[in-house]
């Protein structure tokens, strides 16, 4: 366990997700305030967009348009030139809320969903990974994934990494320029895949619940462990090179490397993720720590 000095970037959120460093500032979604905001390194927030359907993943197309997940109505929104339109409606491909995403350099959006009603504590089920092309065409590119969540693309553009939050693992695919995926494999396995059961039983059986993630220039993946209130710096094969625990009472549900030199690790922290406990209060915080190896790849 590494003891690093945290600094508070911003406090007073409901539940932060989808952190990104883009054009010199942090971008972040807040589930239950229904906002997408920029937050400067010194903590000045500006609301960019309100998303009634609850925002999550963020990314940018090659033409600069912002792509935002609208979770509850299962749409991808495209924000450009002051207007918001629907890039794609993925309802027919989702069993639960639409969730995190990553956009490759060719404008292919990879996005997962929760597969089941998480807030109702329903029984977990596997789901699919979807690709949305720049024209809005939706293609299912991988089946039977246990809550595909945070994603990253290697600097060469050739590998897509997907955190499977209820799968105890990070899964890798070869990524082609046309957005097709092949050579599915386990990149890091923290424990066995769930054998089924209630949400409590599945969560209880997880060693790590990989949620959001971010790549560094040495090829390590920083993984937010949504179960254990920490971030892990993980090598392919699941060797943990570093562990940073959040302050007591806080979970870590997403992370991103950024800052002017790429060496600031931003953590999205809150006591839990449940809508009925988070929405009425403003206890979510963005915390930052300095690390040695800078950001690489996408997002």
């Amino acid at each position: 366990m590494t003891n690093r000095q945290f600094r508070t970037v911003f406090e007073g959120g409901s539940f932060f997700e989808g952190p990104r460093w883009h054009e010199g500032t942090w971008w972040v979604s807040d589930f239950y305030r229904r906002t997408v905001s920029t937050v400067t390194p010194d903590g000045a927030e500006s609301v960019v967009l309100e998303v009634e359907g609850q925002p999550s993943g963020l990314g940018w197309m090659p033409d600069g348009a912002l792509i935002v997940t609208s979770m509850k109505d299962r749409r991808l929104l495209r924000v450009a030139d002051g207007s918001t339109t629907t890039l794609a409606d993925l309802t027919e491909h989702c069993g639960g809320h639409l969730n995190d995403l990553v956009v490759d350099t060719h404008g292919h959006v990879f996005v997962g969903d929760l597969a089941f009603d998480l807030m109702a504590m329903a029984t977990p089920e596997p789901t699919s990974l979807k690709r949305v092309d720049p024209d809005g065409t939706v293609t299912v590119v991988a089946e039977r994934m246990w809550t595909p969540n945070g994603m990253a693309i290697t600097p060469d553009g050739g590998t897509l990494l997907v955190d499977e939050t209820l799968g105890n693992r990070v899964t890798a695919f070869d990524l082609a320029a046309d957005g097709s995926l092949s050579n599915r494999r386990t990149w890091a396995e923290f424990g066995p895949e769930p054998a089924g059961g209630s949400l409590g039983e599945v969560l209880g059986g997880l060693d790590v619940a990989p949620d959001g993630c971010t790549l560094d220039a040495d090829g390590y993946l920083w993984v937010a462990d949504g179960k254990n209130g920490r971030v892990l710096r993980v090598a392919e094969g699941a060797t943990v090179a570093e562990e940073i625990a959040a302050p007591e009472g806080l979970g870590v549900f997403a992370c991103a490397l950024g800052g002017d030199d790429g060496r600031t690790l931003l953590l999205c922290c809150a006591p839990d993720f449940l809508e009925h406990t988070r929405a009425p209060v403003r206890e979510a915080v963005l915390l930052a720590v300095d690390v040695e190896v800078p950001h690489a790849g996408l997002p």
Side-chain angles (χ1 to χ4, degrees):
M1 184 87 68
T2 301
N3 291 317
R4 290 185 182 266
Q5 185 66 43
F6 291 106
R7 58 184 181 277
T8 300
V9 176
F10 185 80
E11 54 190 350
S14 67
F15 184 83
F16 292 119
E17 261 283 9
R20 311 286 190 252
W21 177 260
H22 181 69
E23 295 184 344
T25 192
W26 295 109
W27 291 67
V28 67
S29 293
D30 190 325
F31 275 17
Y32 308 129
R33 287 194 297 158
R34 307 289 200 269
T35 56
V36 175
S37 298
T38 60
V39 180
T40 64
D42 60 0
E45 182 192 33
S46 298
V47 175
V48 175
L49 183 70
E50 294 185 359
V51 180
E52 186 58 33
Q54 189 170 305
S56 182
L58 306 173
W60 286 266
M61 300 295 275
D63 64 3
L66 171 65
I67 305 298
V68 183
T69 300
S70 182
M71 298 182 74
K72 290 187 174 183
D73 56 10
R74 301 164 183 178
R75 292 185 298 148
L76 288 184
L77 307 179
R78 188 180 191 276
V79 184
D81 301 321
S83 65
T84 301
T85 57
T86 298
L87 175 63
D89 185 330
L90 292 96
T91 301
E92 67 177 289
H93 301 290
C94 299
H97 292 354
L98 203 62
N99 199 21
D100 210 349
L101 62 81
V102 69
V103 184
D104 73 10
T105 56
H106 302 283
H108 304 111
V109 184
F110 295 91
V111 62
D113 75 284
L114 299 179
F116 62 100
D117 190 341
L118 178 63
M119 295 304 150
M121 308 298 280
T123 300
E125 299 177 13
T127 187
S128 61
L129 181 67
K130 279 71 68 170
R131 186 190 73 231
V132 179
D133 294 339
D135 65 359
T137 301
V138 179
T139 304
V140 172
V141 290
E143 299 275 10
R144 194 171 172 75
M145 302 197 76
W146 285 93
T147 319
N149 206 330
M151 287 173 268
I153 296 172
T154 53
D156 65 1
T159 303
L160 173 69
L161 301 177
V162 183
D163 285 355
E164 292 189 63
T165 301
L166 297 184
N168 243 342
R169 63 179 173 242
V170 179
T171 296
F173 299 87
D174 290 347
L175 171 59
D178 65 359
S180 60
L181 301 182
S182 61
N183 190 25
R184 179 174 177 170
R185 58 202 181 274
T186 297
W187 191 85
E189 185 173 53
F190 304 107
E193 180 181 300
S198 68
L199 179 59
E201 290 170 333
V202 171
L203 287 172
L206 296 179
D207 300 286
V208 176
D211 198 328
C213 62
T214 185
L215 269 170
D216 73 21
D218 284 348
Y220 287 77
L221 189 69
W222 282 100
V223 174
D225 179 359
K227 177 182 177 180
N228 297 301
R230 60 184 179 170
V231 285
L232 305 174
R233 185 171 181 251
V234 181
E236 184 173 5
T239 298
V240 175
E242 186 172 356
E243 174 184 349
I244 303 173
E248 186 175 356
L250 291 176
V252 185
F253 300 97
C255 60
L257 284 166
D260 290 338
D261 63 0
R263 291 180 169 86
T264 299
L265 181 65
L266 190 76
L267 311 183
C268 294
C269 299
D272 59 65
F273 60 83
L274 297 168
E275 184 171 5
H276 71 274
T277 57
R278 294 300 103 220
V281 296
R282 296 293 177 262
E283 298 175 340
V285 296
L286 299 175
L287 301 178
V289 295
D290 295 325
V291 297
E292 289 74 32
V293 182
H295 168 266
L298 295 170

